[in-house]
Amino acid sequence: MEIGIDSFAASLPDPRTGQILPAAERMERLLAEVEVADEVGLDVFGIGEHHRAEFLDSAPAIILAAAAARTSRIRLTSAVTVLSAADPVRVFQEFATLDLISKGRAEIVVGRGSFGEAYPLFGFAAEDYDALFVEKLDLLLALRERTHVTWRGRFRPPLTGQGVYPRPHQDKLPVWVGVGGTPASFARAGALGLPLMVAIIGGGFQRFRPLVDLYREADRKAGHAPETLKVGLHAVGFVADTDRAAQEAFYPGWAEMFGKIGAERGWPRTGLREQFDAMCGPYGAYLIGSPETVAAKMLGANDALGGISRLTFQMSSAMQAPEAMQRSITLLGTEVMPRVKGSLAPA
């Protein structure tokens, strides 16, 4: 199992002071977090894509390129690229360039996005989000295979054999499909033989097992090579020396972010602390706690989903001081990861 971190470059009020960190300083802290993740041996670092005031990740490829120049081994990916609202040619060029800068460490996780701001911003109708994704994924995969592509679609001017450059350092730029809870999305990824990244931000891991099985069955029916079958998991997580320390550190930032998003979507505001505590408990999907607790829950997630290839922590909403964030990353790399990988290693 590969283990890593996803960040949304959250720029939220400090839970202790109410102040918002200057954007340039927040970005510097984020890049320092990627450096620490590289130093402690984590496998992957992802940057999300949002077009909202509380996030600084509207251009993830640029952040990842800056991270590539400051790291040497960690893989660098989007988490996710909102492909429905993007130009696949430009996405391919950006991540091929990132792949050259990082000498073969770039990946893309594509999805439709969990927020709708990107669609009107870039001139698309939100109701076309799925048709846009299907068409643009088709073009992105064609660009991955061939330098000169002839292609025609509904939402973008055709390509008539133009060359798309640069080409990546890797023979084939890895493309994962990011999904939430829609069965059709799981089946589509399997039919295409693409690695799957499942975002679980609520409930428990076991309830996603039927969807993951649907993905595996679609992959099998399509006749893809077994090595293409990868299931990744993106989950809320944070590590501290004790369970209580981790939960108390993470809750204020979590409550700020989820309270704001919940208000926009009409979720009830009451009971946030009870919801959070339940999600941190043995049956919840939050990986928040001591190294021992987090490692055990990761192994439980692996069992619940029938084996996973990658697990990434979304910890940026903690909004902690640099020392606490870097301490959490260090614990993940030096204490959690050896426990998990050791338990999963063949006897």
Side-chain angles (χ1 to χ4, degrees), residues 187-273:
R188 177 188 299 140
L192 291 171
L194 295 174
L196 182 78
M197 179 58 69
V198 187
I200 299 182
I201 60 171
F205 300 116
Q206 185 63 46
R207 73 184 182 95
F208 284 82
R209 178 62 181 267
L211 294 170
V212 171
D213 288 344
L214 177 64
Y215 162 74
R216 291 183 170 123
E217 179 63 14
D219 184 273
R220 185 192 65 79
K221 287 182 176 179
H224 296 295
E227 59 267 22
T228 68
L229 194 69
K230 294 182 180 180
V231 176
L233 174 62
H234 161 100
V236 173
F238 190 78
V239 189
D241 293 292
T242 67
D243 291 350
R244 181 173 181 81
Q247 292 165 16
E248 293 306 313
F250 201 88
Y251 176 74
W254 177 91
E256 173 74 23
M257 178 183 290
F258 279 81
K260 181 175 182 178
I261 294 170
E264 291 177 5
R265 299 183 179 183
W267 299 344
R269 175 76 188 184
T270 58
L272 275 181
R273 183 69 206 215

Side-chain angles (χ1 to χ4, degrees), residues 103-151:
K103 295 182 175 62
R105 294 186 281 133
E107 299 185 3
I108 312 174
V109 180
V110 295
R112 298 174 300 189
S114 58
F115 296 95
E117 289 85 359
Y119 293 92
L121 183 64
F122 296 108
F124 296 104
E127 58 267 25
D128 291 330
Y129 77 106
D130 191 59
L132 283 159
F133 181 75
V134 171
E135 178 176 300
K136 293 183 176 190
L137 179 57
D138 177 69
L139 177 53
L140 180 65
L141 295 177
L143 295 168
R144 185 173 71 154
E145 297 294 331
R146 302 184 299 280
T147 303
H148 299 271
V149 172
T150 298
W151 178 93

